[in-house]
Short mmCIF file of all heavy atoms in Angstrom, two decimals:
data_model
loop_
_atom_site.label_atom_id
_atom_site.label_comp_id
_atom_site.label_asym_id
_atom_site.label_seq_id
_atom_site.Cartn_x
_atom_site.Cartn_y
_atom_site.Cartn_z
N LEU A 177 -12.53 -4.33 9.92
CA LEU A 177 -11.98 -2.98 10.00
C LEU A 177 -12.47 -2.30 11.21
O LEU A 177 -11.53 -1.49 11.81
CB LEU A 177 -12.50 -2.20 8.71
CG LEU A 177 -11.99 -2.61 7.43
CD1 LEU A 177 -12.47 -1.80 6.23
CD2 LEU A 177 -10.40 -2.59 7.37
N GLU A 178 -13.56 -2.53 11.76
CA GLU A 178 -13.94 -1.97 12.94
C GLU A 178 -13.18 -2.53 14.14
O GLU A 178 -12.75 -1.86 15.14
CB GLU A 178 -15.51 -2.17 13.20
CG GLU A 178 -16.33 -1.19 12.34
CD GLU A 178 -17.75 -1.45 12.60
OE1 GLU A 178 -18.26 -2.40 13.26
OE2 GLU A 178 -18.57 -0.56 12.09
N ASN A 179 -12.89 -3.86 14.14
CA ASN A 179 -11.96 -4.46 15.16
C ASN A 179 -10.53 -3.77 15.07
O ASN A 179 -10.03 -3.50 16.20
CB ASN A 179 -11.79 -5.93 14.84
CG ASN A 179 -12.97 -6.79 15.40
OD1 ASN A 179 -13.69 -6.35 16.34
ND2 ASN A 179 -13.35 -7.86 14.68
N LEU A 180 -10.06 -3.60 13.87
CA LEU A 180 -8.75 -2.93 13.80
C LEU A 180 -8.83 -1.51 14.25
O LEU A 180 -7.89 -1.08 14.97
CB LEU A 180 -8.28 -2.96 12.34
CG LEU A 180 -7.91 -4.31 11.80
CD1 LEU A 180 -7.76 -4.24 10.25
CD2 LEU A 180 -6.51 -4.72 12.33
N ASN A 181 -9.82 -0.78 13.94
CA ASN A 181 -10.00 0.59 14.43
C ASN A 181 -10.08 0.68 15.90
O ASN A 181 -9.50 1.56 16.57
CB ASN A 181 -11.23 1.23 13.76
CG ASN A 181 -11.19 2.68 13.70
OD1 ASN A 181 -10.07 3.31 13.41
ND2 ASN A 181 -12.31 3.33 13.94
N GLU A 182 -10.87 -0.24 16.46
CA GLU A 182 -10.96 -0.28 17.92
C GLU A 182 -9.54 -0.59 18.66
O GLU A 182 -9.21 0.04 19.62
CB GLU A 182 -12.00 -1.25 18.41
CG GLU A 182 -12.18 -1.36 19.93
CD GLU A 182 -13.21 -2.50 20.22
OE1 GLU A 182 -13.67 -3.15 19.34
OE2 GLU A 182 -13.52 -2.69 21.44
N TRP A 183 -8.90 -1.52 18.03
CA TRP A 183 -7.58 -1.86 18.58
C TRP A 183 -6.60 -0.70 18.47
O TRP A 183 -5.87 -0.48 19.45
CB TRP A 183 -7.09 -3.05 17.75
CG TRP A 183 -5.71 -3.53 18.07
CD1 TRP A 183 -5.39 -4.49 19.15
CD2 TRP A 183 -4.48 -3.33 17.44
NE1 TRP A 183 -4.04 -4.68 19.19
CE2 TRP A 183 -3.40 -4.04 18.12
CE3 TRP A 183 -4.01 -2.50 16.44
CZ2 TRP A 183 -2.09 -3.97 17.82
CZ3 TRP A 183 -2.77 -2.43 16.09
CH2 TRP A 183 -1.84 -3.16 16.74
N VAL A 184 -6.69 -0.01 17.40
CA VAL A 184 -5.81 1.20 17.21
C VAL A 184 -6.10 2.21 18.27
O VAL A 184 -5.20 2.79 18.94
CB VAL A 184 -5.84 1.77 15.80
CG1 VAL A 184 -5.28 3.19 15.67
CG2 VAL A 184 -5.19 0.88 14.85
N ARG A 185 -7.41 2.57 18.35
CA ARG A 185 -7.84 3.69 19.29
C ARG A 185 -7.61 3.40 20.77
O ARG A 185 -7.12 4.21 21.50
CB ARG A 185 -9.30 3.97 19.00
CG ARG A 185 -9.59 4.50 17.58
CD ARG A 185 -9.08 5.83 17.25
NE ARG A 185 -9.53 6.21 15.90
CZ ARG A 185 -8.75 6.27 14.86
NH1 ARG A 185 -7.57 6.09 14.99
NH2 ARG A 185 -9.20 6.64 13.67
N ASN A 186 -7.91 2.09 21.17
CA ASN A 186 -7.91 1.73 22.54
C ASN A 186 -6.48 1.57 23.03
O ASN A 186 -6.18 1.68 24.17
CB ASN A 186 -8.72 0.48 22.71
CG ASN A 186 -10.15 0.79 22.69
OD1 ASN A 186 -10.67 1.86 22.56
ND2 ASN A 186 -11.02 -0.30 22.63
N ASN A 187 -5.50 1.13 22.10
CA ASN A 187 -4.17 0.79 22.57
C ASN A 187 -3.15 1.74 21.98
O ASN A 187 -1.95 1.51 22.15
CB ASN A 187 -3.83 -0.67 22.09
CG ASN A 187 -4.86 -1.75 22.60
OD1 ASN A 187 -4.76 -1.98 23.79
ND2 ASN A 187 -5.77 -2.16 21.76
N ASN A 188 -3.56 2.77 21.26
CA ASN A 188 -2.70 3.82 20.76
C ASN A 188 -1.63 3.16 19.81
O ASN A 188 -0.45 3.32 19.81
CB ASN A 188 -1.90 4.57 21.86
CG ASN A 188 -1.40 5.87 21.40
OD1 ASN A 188 -1.96 6.53 20.52
ND2 ASN A 188 -0.32 6.29 22.08
N LYS A 189 -2.15 2.26 18.92
CA LYS A 189 -1.26 1.50 18.03
C LYS A 189 -1.31 2.09 16.56
O LYS A 189 -1.98 3.14 16.41
CB LYS A 189 -1.68 -0.01 17.99
CG LYS A 189 -1.80 -0.60 19.31
CD LYS A 189 -0.41 -1.14 19.82
CE LYS A 189 -0.59 -2.08 20.98
NZ LYS A 189 0.71 -2.69 21.44
N ILE A 190 -0.73 1.38 15.66
CA ILE A 190 -0.70 1.78 14.28
C ILE A 190 -1.25 0.59 13.38
O ILE A 190 -0.76 -0.44 13.60
CB ILE A 190 0.67 2.28 13.82
CG1 ILE A 190 1.08 3.57 14.51
CG2 ILE A 190 0.82 2.38 12.23
CD1 ILE A 190 2.46 4.01 14.28
N VAL A 191 -2.03 0.87 12.35
CA VAL A 191 -2.30 -0.09 11.34
C VAL A 191 -2.00 0.50 9.99
O VAL A 191 -2.34 1.67 9.68
CB VAL A 191 -3.80 -0.56 11.32
CG1 VAL A 191 -4.19 -1.29 10.13
CG2 VAL A 191 -4.14 -1.39 12.61
N ILE A 192 -1.29 -0.26 9.21
CA ILE A 192 -0.98 0.06 7.81
C ILE A 192 -1.49 -0.98 6.92
O ILE A 192 -1.03 -2.22 7.02
CB ILE A 192 0.57 0.25 7.58
CG1 ILE A 192 1.03 1.31 8.48
CG2 ILE A 192 0.84 0.58 6.09
CD1 ILE A 192 2.58 1.51 8.39
N GLY A 193 -2.47 -0.70 6.05
CA GLY A 193 -3.14 -1.74 5.30
C GLY A 193 -3.16 -1.35 3.84
O GLY A 193 -3.39 -0.24 3.44
N VAL A 194 -2.92 -2.49 2.97
CA VAL A 194 -3.11 -2.30 1.51
C VAL A 194 -4.58 -2.73 1.23
O VAL A 194 -5.01 -3.70 1.60
CB VAL A 194 -2.18 -3.25 0.79
CG1 VAL A 194 -2.60 -3.35 -0.71
CG2 VAL A 194 -0.77 -2.82 0.87
N LEU A 195 -5.32 -1.72 0.67
CA LEU A 195 -6.75 -1.91 0.33
C LEU A 195 -7.02 -1.53 -1.03
O LEU A 195 -6.44 -0.49 -1.54
CB LEU A 195 -7.66 -1.12 1.30
CG LEU A 195 -7.79 -1.63 2.79
CD1 LEU A 195 -8.66 -0.59 3.51
CD2 LEU A 195 -8.36 -3.08 2.85
N HIS A 196 -7.80 -2.32 -1.75
CA HIS A 196 -8.20 -1.97 -3.11
C HIS A 196 -9.53 -1.21 -3.21
O HIS A 196 -9.75 -0.41 -4.07
CB HIS A 196 -8.25 -3.17 -3.98
CG HIS A 196 -6.96 -3.68 -4.60
ND1 HIS A 196 -6.14 -2.91 -5.26
CD2 HIS A 196 -6.28 -4.82 -4.29
CE1 HIS A 196 -5.01 -3.59 -5.53
NE2 HIS A 196 -5.14 -4.74 -4.95
N ASP A 197 -10.40 -1.51 -2.20
CA ASP A 197 -11.69 -0.90 -2.26
C ASP A 197 -11.68 0.43 -1.72
O ASP A 197 -11.46 0.62 -0.49
CB ASP A 197 -12.67 -1.82 -1.41
CG ASP A 197 -14.16 -1.38 -1.49
OD1 ASP A 197 -14.37 -0.19 -1.72
OD2 ASP A 197 -15.05 -2.21 -1.50
N LEU A 198 -11.84 1.45 -2.56
CA LEU A 198 -11.71 2.83 -2.17
C LEU A 198 -12.76 3.27 -1.18
O LEU A 198 -12.57 4.24 -0.44
CB LEU A 198 -11.55 3.76 -3.37
CG LEU A 198 -10.43 3.47 -4.32
CD1 LEU A 198 -10.32 4.56 -5.48
CD2 LEU A 198 -9.03 3.53 -3.44
N ASN A 199 -13.93 2.61 -1.21
CA ASN A 199 -15.00 2.90 -0.30
C ASN A 199 -14.52 2.55 1.13
O ASN A 199 -14.69 3.35 2.09
CB ASN A 199 -16.22 2.13 -0.66
CG ASN A 199 -16.85 2.69 -1.85
OD1 ASN A 199 -17.15 3.80 -1.98
ND2 ASN A 199 -17.24 1.83 -2.69
N LEU A 200 -13.82 1.33 1.26
CA LEU A 200 -13.39 1.03 2.58
C LEU A 200 -12.14 1.90 2.97
O LEU A 200 -12.05 2.19 4.27
CB LEU A 200 -12.81 -0.47 2.47
CG LEU A 200 -13.91 -1.54 2.35
CD1 LEU A 200 -13.31 -2.90 2.26
CD2 LEU A 200 -15.06 -1.45 3.36
N VAL A 201 -11.46 2.42 1.99
CA VAL A 201 -10.44 3.46 2.39
C VAL A 201 -10.99 4.57 2.98
O VAL A 201 -10.55 5.14 3.97
CB VAL A 201 -9.51 3.69 1.06
CG1 VAL A 201 -8.53 4.80 1.41
CG2 VAL A 201 -8.78 2.52 0.71
N GLN A 202 -12.03 5.12 2.38
CA GLN A 202 -12.68 6.34 2.87
C GLN A 202 -13.29 6.07 4.24
O GLN A 202 -13.29 7.02 5.15
CB GLN A 202 -13.86 6.66 1.95
CG GLN A 202 -13.45 7.32 0.59
CD GLN A 202 -13.27 8.81 0.67
OE1 GLN A 202 -12.96 9.39 1.72
NE2 GLN A 202 -13.36 9.46 -0.47
N TYR A 203 -13.76 4.78 4.55
CA TYR A 203 -14.29 4.55 5.75
C TYR A 203 -13.31 4.39 6.91
O TYR A 203 -13.59 4.70 8.04
CB TYR A 203 -15.16 3.21 5.61
CG TYR A 203 -15.75 2.63 6.86
CD1 TYR A 203 -16.94 3.17 7.39
CD2 TYR A 203 -15.18 1.53 7.40
CE1 TYR A 203 -17.43 2.52 8.51
CE2 TYR A 203 -15.74 0.92 8.54
CZ TYR A 203 -16.80 1.49 9.11
OH TYR A 203 -17.38 0.96 10.24
N PHE A 204 -12.14 3.80 6.52
CA PHE A 204 -11.16 3.32 7.54
C PHE A 204 -10.08 4.28 7.75
O PHE A 204 -9.52 4.41 8.83
CB PHE A 204 -10.73 1.93 7.08
CG PHE A 204 -9.80 1.32 8.04
CD1 PHE A 204 -10.02 0.86 9.28
CD2 PHE A 204 -8.45 1.04 7.54
CE1 PHE A 204 -9.13 0.39 10.15
CE2 PHE A 204 -7.45 0.44 8.47
CZ PHE A 204 -7.87 0.03 9.70
N ALA A 205 -9.47 4.90 6.74
CA ALA A 205 -8.23 5.51 6.79
C ALA A 205 -8.21 6.93 7.49
O ALA A 205 -9.00 7.74 7.24
CB ALA A 205 -7.66 5.73 5.36
N ASP A 206 -7.11 7.16 8.20
CA ASP A 206 -6.80 8.43 8.72
C ASP A 206 -5.96 9.17 7.74
O ASP A 206 -6.05 10.34 7.47
CB ASP A 206 -6.15 8.44 10.07
CG ASP A 206 -7.02 7.84 11.16
OD1 ASP A 206 -8.11 8.34 11.32
OD2 ASP A 206 -6.53 6.90 11.78
N LYS A 207 -5.04 8.32 7.16
CA LYS A 207 -4.09 8.80 6.12
C LYS A 207 -4.11 7.85 4.94
O LYS A 207 -4.35 6.73 5.08
CB LYS A 207 -2.60 8.92 6.73
CG LYS A 207 -2.46 9.85 7.89
CD LYS A 207 -1.97 11.20 7.42
CE LYS A 207 -1.62 12.14 8.60
NZ LYS A 207 -0.30 11.70 9.17
N VAL A 208 -3.75 8.28 3.77
CA VAL A 208 -3.65 7.58 2.63
C VAL A 208 -2.37 7.83 1.92
O VAL A 208 -1.98 9.00 1.77
CB VAL A 208 -4.85 7.83 1.64
CG1 VAL A 208 -4.75 7.00 0.36
CG2 VAL A 208 -6.17 7.54 2.33
N LEU A 209 -1.72 6.72 1.54
CA LEU A 209 -0.48 6.90 0.62
C LEU A 209 -0.77 6.36 -0.78
O LEU A 209 -1.10 5.10 -0.79
CB LEU A 209 0.70 6.13 1.28
CG LEU A 209 2.01 5.91 0.47
CD1 LEU A 209 2.60 7.41 0.31
CD2 LEU A 209 2.94 4.99 1.06
N MET A 210 -0.77 7.05 -1.81
CA MET A 210 -0.97 6.59 -3.10
C MET A 210 0.26 6.48 -3.85
O MET A 210 1.06 7.41 -3.93
CB MET A 210 -1.97 7.58 -3.80
CG MET A 210 -2.37 7.20 -5.26
SD MET A 210 -3.43 8.30 -6.13
CE MET A 210 -4.99 8.17 -5.27
N ILE A 211 0.49 5.26 -4.47
CA ILE A 211 1.79 5.03 -5.21
C ILE A 211 1.46 4.55 -6.60
O ILE A 211 0.40 3.86 -6.90
CB ILE A 211 2.63 4.11 -4.41
CG1 ILE A 211 2.09 2.70 -4.22
CG2 ILE A 211 3.10 4.74 -3.15
CD1 ILE A 211 3.09 1.75 -3.55
N LYS A 212 2.39 4.75 -7.54
CA LYS A 212 2.27 4.28 -8.81
C LYS A 212 3.73 4.06 -9.35
O LYS A 212 4.61 4.80 -9.11
CB LYS A 212 1.54 5.23 -9.80
CG LYS A 212 1.46 4.83 -11.23
CD LYS A 212 0.80 5.79 -12.11
CE LYS A 212 0.63 5.39 -13.49
NZ LYS A 212 0.01 6.40 -14.36
N ASP A 213 3.92 2.86 -9.87
CA ASP A 213 5.30 2.42 -10.36
C ASP A 213 6.26 2.55 -9.34
O ASP A 213 7.41 2.98 -9.53
CB ASP A 213 5.60 3.19 -11.68
CG ASP A 213 4.71 3.02 -12.83
OD1 ASP A 213 4.13 1.90 -12.98
OD2 ASP A 213 4.56 3.97 -13.58
N GLY A 214 5.89 2.24 -8.07
CA GLY A 214 6.84 2.29 -6.92
C GLY A 214 7.16 3.66 -6.46
O GLY A 214 8.02 3.79 -5.55
N GLU A 215 6.49 4.70 -6.97
CA GLU A 215 6.80 6.08 -6.47
C GLU A 215 5.56 6.72 -5.81
O GLU A 215 4.39 6.40 -6.11
CB GLU A 215 7.27 6.90 -7.61
CG GLU A 215 8.57 6.48 -8.25
CD GLU A 215 8.92 7.30 -9.44
OE1 GLU A 215 8.24 8.31 -9.79
OE2 GLU A 215 10.04 7.11 -10.03
N GLU A 216 5.78 7.61 -4.81
CA GLU A 216 4.75 8.30 -4.15
C GLU A 216 4.10 9.24 -5.07
O GLU A 216 4.76 10.13 -5.68
CB GLU A 216 5.35 8.93 -2.93
CG GLU A 216 4.27 9.70 -2.06
CD GLU A 216 4.96 10.44 -0.95
OE1 GLU A 216 5.85 9.82 -0.29
OE2 GLU A 216 4.46 11.57 -0.61
N VAL A 217 2.70 9.19 -5.08
CA VAL A 217 1.98 10.15 -5.98
C VAL A 217 1.35 11.23 -5.02
O VAL A 217 1.39 12.41 -5.38
CB VAL A 217 0.82 9.34 -6.75
CG1 VAL A 217 -0.01 10.47 -7.55
CG2 VAL A 217 1.50 8.43 -7.87
N SER A 218 0.79 10.68 -3.90
CA SER A 218 0.12 11.58 -2.99
C SER A 218 0.02 10.97 -1.56
O SER A 218 0.04 9.73 -1.50
CB SER A 218 -1.28 11.95 -3.43
OG SER A 218 -1.80 13.07 -2.57
N TYR A 219 0.21 11.78 -0.56
CA TYR A 219 0.13 11.36 0.80
C TYR A 219 -0.62 12.35 1.70
O TYR A 219 -0.35 13.55 1.58
CB TYR A 219 1.54 11.13 1.32
CG TYR A 219 1.59 10.76 2.83
CD1 TYR A 219 0.96 9.63 3.36
CD2 TYR A 219 2.07 11.69 3.80
CE1 TYR A 219 1.07 9.31 4.65
CE2 TYR A 219 2.19 11.37 5.19
CZ TYR A 219 1.64 10.22 5.59
OH TYR A 219 1.67 9.91 6.86
N GLY A 220 -1.56 11.96 2.42
CA GLY A 220 -2.36 12.83 3.32
C GLY A 220 -3.66 12.26 3.72
O GLY A 220 -3.87 11.06 3.73
N THR A 221 -4.68 13.12 4.03
CA THR A 221 -5.96 12.70 4.44
C THR A 221 -6.67 12.05 3.18
O THR A 221 -6.42 12.41 2.07
CB THR A 221 -6.82 13.73 4.98
OG1 THR A 221 -7.00 14.75 4.00
CG2 THR A 221 -6.07 14.40 6.24
N PRO A 222 -7.66 11.11 3.42
CA PRO A 222 -8.47 10.71 2.27
C PRO A 222 -9.07 11.77 1.40
O PRO A 222 -9.10 11.67 0.22
CB PRO A 222 -9.60 9.83 3.01
CG PRO A 222 -8.99 9.39 4.22
CD PRO A 222 -8.03 10.53 4.69
N GLU A 223 -9.48 12.83 2.09
CA GLU A 223 -10.09 13.94 1.32
C GLU A 223 -9.16 14.60 0.44
O GLU A 223 -9.45 15.05 -0.70
CB GLU A 223 -10.69 14.97 2.25
CG GLU A 223 -11.84 14.50 3.12
CD GLU A 223 -11.33 13.70 4.32
OE1 GLU A 223 -10.16 13.69 4.66
OE2 GLU A 223 -12.22 13.01 5.00
#
Side-chain angles (χ1 to χ4, degrees):
L177 293 178
E178 288 183 344
N179 280 329
L180 287 166
N181 203 38
E182 181 182 1
W183 180 81
V184 166
R185 301 288 185 252
N186 290 346
N187 300 287
N188 203 30
K189 305 278 193 173
I190 290 171
V191 167
I192 300 175
V194 169
L195 289 175
H196 280 297
D197 189 329
L198 298 181
N199 288 312
L200 294 179
V201 173
Q202 289 275 23
Y203 174 75
F204 179 64
D206 297 306
K207 299 266 187 73
V208 179
L209 173 66
M210 181 182 287
I211 61 178
K212 181 181 181 182
D213 298 328
E215 297 181 357
E216 179 182 324
V217 175
S218 184
Y219 171 67
T221 63
E223 295 78 16

